[in-house]
Amino acid sequence: MARNVGKRALTDTAEILARGVRANVGPHNLTGDTYESVDVEPAKQKKGVAVEVVLADIAGVQLEFGNSDQAATPVFRPAVDSNRQKMDDTFAVLLPIEIDAAVIRKAKRAARKGGA
């Protein structure tokens, strides 16, 4: 239950970052592929809960870090810097809401089992 609570709160918070990255990618995007490739996905790890914002299009690497023909035009760092407070505030609001909802769901399941 704790994993699902954390995942829901983190996913909504990570979507704020994804919107910021999409806004930064927009002016550099010719085909729409890079913009569409920004997504929030569950991160693979053994313990705890994590989600990640990914930029799947290979052109995103060229934008973020540059290459010999193109200067770097970061899209992640500016999105993190400009949205950090909003993400922190959102997570602080969502986590207790998700915890309360999980407790209510568990109580309802227990009541159904006990009342049946």
Side-chain angles (χ1 to χ4, degrees):
M1 178 168 55
R3 286 180 91 89
N4 289 335
V5 166
K7 189 189 299 185
R8 279 192 286 273
L10 282 173
T11 300
D12 290 346
T13 303
E15 188 56 46
I16 295 168
L17 177 59
R19 282 193 300 268
V21 171
R22 285 184 199 109
N24 292 342
V25 165
H28 304 285
N29 198 16
L30 299 176
T31 64
D33 294 341
T34 307
Y35 182 90
E36 293 296 325
S37 74
V38 177
D39 200 12
V40 176
E41 299 177 352
K44 293 181 171 99
Q45 63 181 43
K46 293 185 182 205
K47 292 185 178 183
V49 178
V51 296
E52 58 189 1
V53 177
V54 296
L55 180 55
D57 187 17
I58 191 68
V61 174
Q62 305 303 319
L63 279 174
E64 189 72 22
F65 301 107
N67 60 31
S68 61
D69 298 325
Q70 172 182 333
T73 53
V75 293
F76 271 93
R77 174 53 53 192
V80 169
D81 291 343
S82 65
N83 291 302
R84 177 162 314 275
Q85 189 63 48
K86 185 176 181 181
M87 290 186 301
D88 291 347
D89 293 344
T90 300
F91 185 73
V93 168
L94 288 178
L95 187 60
I97 291 171
E98 291 295 338
I99 291 170
D100 291 345
V103 168
I104 291 168
R105 283 191 301 272
K106 187 171 182 172
K108 285 181 180 178
R109 277 191 297 258
R112 278 192 302 252
K113 284 184 181 180

